Amino acid sequence: MCYTSGMKKFPDGFLWGAATAAHQVEGGNIGSDWWEWEQTRGRERSGDACRHYELYERDFDLARSLHHNAHRLSVEWARVEPQEGRFSDDALKHYAEVVLALKDRGIEPVVTLHHFTNPLWFARDGGWEDRRAPGRFLRYCDAVVRILGKHVRYWITINEPTIYVSHSFLFGVWPPQARSLWRMWRVSRNMVRAHVAVFRMIHQVCRDFGLREPAVSIAQHMTALVPCGSGLRCRFASWLRHKIFNESFVDALVRRRALDFIGLNYYSRQLVEPSNWGIRSLLSDVCRENHRPVPKNSVGWDIYPEGLYELLLKLKKYDLPVMIAENGICAEEDASRWIFIRDHLRSVSRAIGAGVPVTGYLYWSLLDNFEWEKGFGPRFGLVEMNYRTFERKVRPSALKYAEVCRTGVLSAE
Ligand code: FCB
């Protein structure tokens, strides 16, 4: 790491790129639980999204022109296995072509196997609460890994398990809109089991086929949990939330020796201020008085680049490589996007200097896309999307980031 006049040089071989997820960009994901939910409950329908299912080559050309050498995408379970046990050769062939299209452009694929959405048949027949869930997920992943394994080294089994379980089973905002600690606990347990089974399967398939060692992880969402005051309650609640929401899933997988690296998704800070010692307050109350103000993104999330540095240092104890699997901003003004990227990359660089083995940075997202229950409003893309004409337009921030991707150097300005 070089610090000459504030310039930061990232390690050779660093992965630079952006991330997407199937349901948010592909369009027409009709066999999934989210699609069904959007028809009656969502604010907006994902519809054609970015038509990435057909236009992926155009998008990868853009990624290459922006000097990305890595790209994270997800495979859609509902397309690959539209009915239980019946696999779609067309969908599998499609994803093989997608991965090869990346490889042809010199872009390393990072493949996610579950990014929030489920096939309808699975959701209707017990979903992740059912004890058959890990076996069902394993069967689907096995079909994908046998086809893509030759070309893919980096695998993310499950995206943000703690966000999925809390939004879908505790806060009741995502399908199936449950509010039950017990159901959340069952789903978490099944997701741990599913990950471990898939982790082992991917390693086994690579051994059987004589392929190089894979790198398998989850993408763990972490929030910087900052006590609002210096009192015991704020400090205790921050510690507790960090243990539960940031670390518990990773800990469970590390105990089972089922992580080759840590995929980290980082966006924001929570200023922790519980009003009482009750568990609900300890786990969810935040400061309402605008103490310690920081800039916010267009949906009101605190922008807090120091948090990324602090969290990366906390990950040091696991002694595993870390890949930033998502980090990004939705903004009305593109200028704030580059400032966001620059400041977060400074945090990454500081953490590398402090001995954290960070191996890559994937900006969320390559394209503006369908932001779940918030619809198409939030604009996270390096590339602007016209949802009427499907025209793609590279934003100025993307060009600045491209320069870092090309040179591996973050300049001082
Ligand atoms: C993450 C999700 C991703 C996207 C970003 C903004 O939590 O993994 O799909 O919605 O937030």
Side-chain angles (χ1 to χ4, degrees), residues 134-382:
R136 288 169 158 175
F137 184 61
L138 175 65
R139 184 179 52 193
Y140 143 70
C141 293
D142 188 80
V144 174
V145 171
R146 276 170 200 282
I147 302 286
L148 304 189
K150 277 199 291 294
H151 311 295
V152 177
R153 169 145 195 251
Y154 295 97
W155 296 94
I156 303 278
T157 56
I158 301 175
N159 180 65
E160 299 190 342
T162 37
I163 294 292
Y164 176 72
V165 300
S166 57
H167 282 54
S168 295
F169 295 92
L170 188 63
F171 306 141
V173 284
W174 288 354
Q177 293 197 292
R179 290 173 185 270
S180 152
L181 267 173
W182 161 240
R183 291 175 70 180
M184 179 173 87
W185 180 80
R186 280 175 69 106
V187 172
S188 306
R189 190 184 56 175
N190 279 337
M191 285 195 148
V192 168
R193 288 180 177 164
H195 168 88
V196 173
V198 174
F199 175 93
R200 291 183 182 150
M201 176 275 289
I202 295 176
H203 279 266
Q204 189 59 49
V205 168
C206 289
R207 272 193 298 274
D208 291 350
F209 290 3
L211 304 171
R212 67 183 167 160
E213 271 292 288
V216 186
S217 185
I218 54 167
Q220 177 63 35
H221 181 102
M222 293 198 184
T223 305
L225 294 156
V226 178
C228 182
S230 57
L232 181 62
R233 198 157 63 205
C234 286
R235 283 185 292 124
F236 174 71
S238 305
W239 173 86
L240 186 67
R241 287 182 209 182
H242 180 72
K243 285 282 155 211
I244 295 177
F245 297 119
N246 290 345
E247 285 190 347
S248 64
F249 217 89
V250 172
D251 285 341
L253 303 186
V254 166
R255 273 198 301 277
R256 291 165 177 79
R257 296 176 188 280
L259 285 182
D260 296 313
F261 68 99
I262 297 175
L264 171 64
N265 291 2
Y266 175 75
Y267 287 88
S268 182
R269 169 192 84 165
Q270 233 181 58
L271 201 53
V272 177
E273 193 175 31
S275 58
N276 61 70
W277 283 96
I279 188 69
R280 198 171 278 279
S281 176
L282 287 175
L283 290 185
S284 57
D285 283 354
V286 291
C287 170
R288 300 260 167 242
E289 314 271 327
N290 202 23
H291 293 137
R292 306 202 201 190
V294 291
K296 293 184 191 296
N297 73 10
S298 69
V299 292
W301 302 349
D302 288 357
I303 297 173
Y304 188 66
E306 305 86 295
L308 180 54
Y309 172 73
E310 289 154 15
L311 286 167
L312 284 170
L313 284 202
K314 289 195 170 123
L315 295 183
K316 220 171 160 179
K317 66 177 177 195
Y318 294 111
D319 202 17
L320 286 169
V322 180
M323 183 197 293
I324 314 293
E326 285 180 29
N327 173 240
I329 179 176
C330 52
E332 312 284 348
E333 296 292 330
D334 184 54
S336 51
R337 190 178 329 275
W338 167 245
I339 295 170
F340 181 98
I341 296 174
R342 181 198 66 192
D343 292 351
H344 284 78
L345 286 178
R346 284 185 181 155
S347 284
V348 174
S349 157
R350 265 176 80 205
I352 295 175
V356 186
V358 184
T359 58
Y361 176 88
L362 302 175
Y363 176 81
W364 182 272
S365 178
L366 179 64
L367 311 169
D368 288 338
N369 61 51
F370 177 73
E371 180 50 30
W372 307 112
E373 83 287 5
K374 297 187 181 66
F376 289 104
R379 300 270 179 168
F380 278 93
L382 293 170

Side-chain angles (χ1 to χ4, degrees), residues 376-402:
F376 289 104
R379 300 270 179 168
F380 278 93
L382 293 170
V383 175
E384 182 185 335
M385 181 65 50
N386 180 326
Y387 293 111
R388 208 170 32 81
T389 61
F390 299 98
E391 195 194 327
R392 279 97 163 116
K393 197 158 133 209
V394 171
R395 292 196 163 109
S397 57
L399 299 176
K400 295 204 163 162
Y401 176 50

